[in-house]
């Protein structure tokens, strides 16, 4: 729980927690629905305006909770409609979120940690290491700001935990966030509209499978352990076979036993994009309840890797599909503003961006 200034954020609690508090206040538990609606559905963080609540309760809310939000530090719009927003947390750390509109849906990509400890060698966020986990209210605030402040006109239909950080390394806060995202009176996002993406923390996959109904994406990026360990050090703890077994269990669990796990595979030129890699990957995934999403790699300054050539990408795609593995290609979005997968920067880079702006307000004004 984030209790900055000794007060809990209004964005922190789910319905069950509000009911407990209302019970302590000797107030009706029915007010929990009103509170959830006011705060999350209607975007009100001013208790005095919540006129559907008794005056006494509004005063208690005013004095016991805080309504502070991360500061909008920087906003950039790409030519393809993608928008990247940098937020400054109360501790001074920066995080990022990205709005990705498309014909079929509008997706918000959010962060779960400031930085990341997992050290994937192709990832920009990894360069700065982990600063800290985000609290529930800091994760929820990203969707709240997107819906009620930044992009109220763009009906956000999907949320993906693919921003900065490893969500399963901050699972308590992510589960608390999911309870609010999925509450019909808050954001009402169904299980197919939320995707949690992981580098492959097996115990986290197991716990997520038991605790929530959401889609799962797993970053694989290599068909064998030697190469995957090179790209993703976490593979030494959770090698591919164990990880795929966890994916199968995840897919077989859940209310409708219908979950297909998405395997993310970023194509890196000369590293993991040979036909032999595609064949090995197809053999490993044969018969499993998974589909593969091929990601064109987005290089960043100082990156050791380059994207595969389009014809290499196409050959890899055809090799997998030809072997019977359902495969799609993710369209690169927001490349001109470094908003694509793996490009969300660490604190040092963000500080540099931030300090080139004369003020956050100017950054916001200049973004349109
Ligand atoms: S790819 Fe994801 S898990 Fe790996 S270092 Fe980057 S943010 Fe962390």
């Amino acid at each position: 729980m984030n209790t900055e200034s000794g007060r809990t954020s209004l964005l922190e609690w789910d319905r069950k927690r509000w009911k407990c508090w209302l019970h302590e206040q000797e107030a009706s538990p029915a007010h929990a629905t009103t509170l959830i609606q006011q705060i999350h559905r209607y975007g009100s963080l001013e208790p005095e305006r919540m006129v559907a609540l008794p005056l006494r309760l509004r005063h208690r809310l005013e004095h016991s909770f805080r309504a502070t939000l991360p500061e909008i530090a920087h906003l950039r719009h790409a030519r393809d409609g993608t928008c990247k927003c940098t937020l400054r947390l109360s501790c001074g750390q920066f995080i990022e979120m990205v709005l990705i509109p498309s014909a079929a849906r509008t997706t918000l990509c959010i962060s779960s940690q400031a930085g990341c400890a997992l050290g994937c060698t192709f990832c920009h966020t990894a360069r700065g290491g982990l600063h800290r986990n985000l609290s529930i209210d800091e994760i929820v605030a990203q969707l709240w700001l997107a819906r009620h402040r930044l992009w109220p006109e763009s009906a956000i239909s999907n949320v993906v935990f693919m921003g900065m950080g490893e969500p399963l390394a901050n699972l308590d806060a992510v589960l608390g966030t999911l309870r609010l995202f999925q509450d019909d009176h808050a954001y009402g996002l169904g299980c197919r509209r939320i995707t949690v993406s992981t580098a492959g923390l097996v115990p986290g996959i197991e716990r997520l499978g038991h605790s929530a109904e959401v889609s799962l994406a797993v970053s694989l990026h290599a068909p064998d352990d030697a190469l995957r360990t090179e790209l993703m050090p976490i593979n030494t703890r959770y090698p591919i076979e164990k990880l795929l077994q966890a994916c199968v269990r995840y897919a077989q669990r859940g209310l409708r036993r219908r979950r297909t796990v998405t395997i993310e595979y970023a194509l890196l030129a000369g590293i993991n994009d040979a036909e032999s890699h595609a064949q090995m990957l197809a053999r490993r995934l044969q018969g499993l309840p998974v589909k593969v999403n091929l990601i064109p790699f987005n290089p960043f300054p100082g990156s050791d890797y380059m994207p595969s050539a389009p014809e290499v990408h196409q050959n890899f795609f055809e090799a997998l599909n030809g072997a019977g593995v359902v495969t799609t290609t993710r369209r690169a979005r927001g490349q001109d503003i470094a908003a694509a997968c793996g490009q969300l920067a660490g604190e040092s880079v963000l500080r540099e961006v931030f300090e080139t702006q004369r003020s956050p307000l100017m950054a916001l004004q200049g973004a349109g």
Side-chain angles (χ1 to χ4, degrees):
M1 181 189 297
N2 187 354
T3 53
E4 179 196 321
S5 320
R7 294 199 288 175
T8 300
S9 166
L10 285 169
L11 293 176
E12 176 95 13
W13 286 354
D14 61 15
R15 178 187 299 272
K16 194 172 162 195
R17 190 63 189 82
W18 277 120
K19 280 185 178 171
C20 289
W21 182 78
L22 289 162
H23 180 73
E24 287 159 20
Q25 307 303 314
E26 298 175 353
S28 164
H31 293 317
T33 300
T34 308
L35 273 161
I36 293 277
Q37 284 177 338
Q38 288 291 324
I39 295 167
H40 300 283
R41 185 188 286 177
Y42 304 125
S44 172
L45 294 179
E46 297 170 87
E48 76 271 18
R49 293 192 174 205
M50 299 179 188
V51 290
L53 297 174
L55 189 62
R56 181 184 65 93
L57 214 48
R58 281 186 265 154
H59 284 154
R60 291 265 170 85
L61 286 166
E62 193 72 50
H63 289 108
S64 309
F65 295 84
R66 65 181 168 84
T68 48
L69 291 160
E71 179 187 343
I72 297 164
H74 193 72
L75 195 58
R76 293 187 71 192
H77 295 245
R79 285 184 290 277
D80 64 8
T82 303
C83 305
K84 180 167 75 169
C85 177
T86 303
L87 298 172
R88 183 154 66 169
L89 306 174
S90 56
C91 62
Q93 295 293 340
F94 294 89
I95 58 166
E96 294 185 308
M97 63 175 173
V98 183
L99 184 80
I100 310 158
S102 72
R105 62 183 73 90
T106 298
T107 302
L108 184 71
C109 174
I110 61 173
S111 297
S112 54
Q113 297 182 304
C116 185
L118 296 195
C120 302
T121 54
F122 52 82
C123 173
H124 204 183
T125 304
R127 302 270 164 127
L130 175 69
H131 298 292
R132 66 172 175 85
N133 281 337
L134 301 189
S135 56
I136 294 173
D137 71 285
E138 288 168 335
I139 306 176
V140 171
Q142 296 171 63
L143 181 56
W144 191 97
L145 282 166
R147 276 218 173 154
H148 301 299
R149 289 278 196 280
L150 288 164
W151 306 292
E153 72 293 343
S154 56
I156 294 166
S157 56
N158 293 62
V159 171
V160 294
F161 285 78
M162 292 185 186
M164 296 168 73
E166 162 56 56
L168 299 188
N170 186 18
L171 192 48
D172 285 338
V174 167
L175 290 174
T177 301
L178 291 176
R179 284 193 288 277
L180 279 164
F181 283 1
Q182 299 193 306
D183 188 319
D184 284 341
H185 294 283
Y187 302 95
L189 293 167
C191 54
R192 287 168 191 260
R193 296 193 177 277
I194 300 178
T195 301
V196 173
S197 177
T198 178
L201 302 191
V202 168
I205 293 173
E206 305 288 355
R207 192 170 157 221
L208 182 72
H210 282 108
S211 315
E213 283 287 328
V214 291
S215 299
L216 179 69
V218 172
S219 297
L220 199 67
H221 305 317
D224 68 82
D225 283 317
L227 179 56
R228 190 166 190 267
T229 299
E230 225 173 86
L231 299 174
M232 306 179 72
I234 190 68
N235 193 68
T236 51
R237 274 168 71 194
Y238 307 113
I240 294 176
E241 201 47 47
K242 273 192 178 168
L243 179 55
L244 291 178
Q245 284 169 12
C247 291
V248 171
R249 286 193 293 277
Y250 189 90
Q252 288 172 342
R253 221 175 278 125
L255 288 177
R256 282 162 253 168
R257 289 174 54 86
R258 55 100 195 99
R259 292 192 280 201
T260 300
V261 174
T262 301
I263 300 293
E264 307 279 8
Y265 196 102
L267 285 165
L268 308 168
I271 304 289
N272 66 354
D273 62 350
E275 201 178 329
S276 58
H277 292 127
Q279 287 164 354
M280 202 189 306
L281 183 62
R283 277 198 301 277
R284 288 206 98 129
L285 301 183
Q286 210 59 247
L288 303 186
V290 299
K291 62 180 179 198
V292 174
N293 191 20
L294 293 179
I295 304 168
F297 177 67
N298 299 288
F300 51 84
S303 159
D304 297 332
Y305 303 104
M306 291 302 289
S308 302
E311 60 275 16
V312 174
H313 188 119
Q314 185 62 23
N315 289 344
F316 203 95
F317 174 85
E318 284 169 13
L320 287 178
N321 263 324
V325 178
V326 176
T327 307
T328 55
T329 287
R330 181 188 295 172
R331 195 155 67 88
R333 298 296 304 267
Q335 282 179 306
D336 50 324
I337 57 167
C341 178
Q343 286 191 323
L344 299 187
E347 189 261 352
S348 56
V349 177
L350 293 172
R351 187 174 296 283
E352 198 179 301
V353 168
F354 184 76
E355 285 172 355
T356 60
Q357 307 299 320
R358 278 198 277 157
S359 77
L361 184 59
M362 277 197 65
L364 190 56
Q365 286 169 337

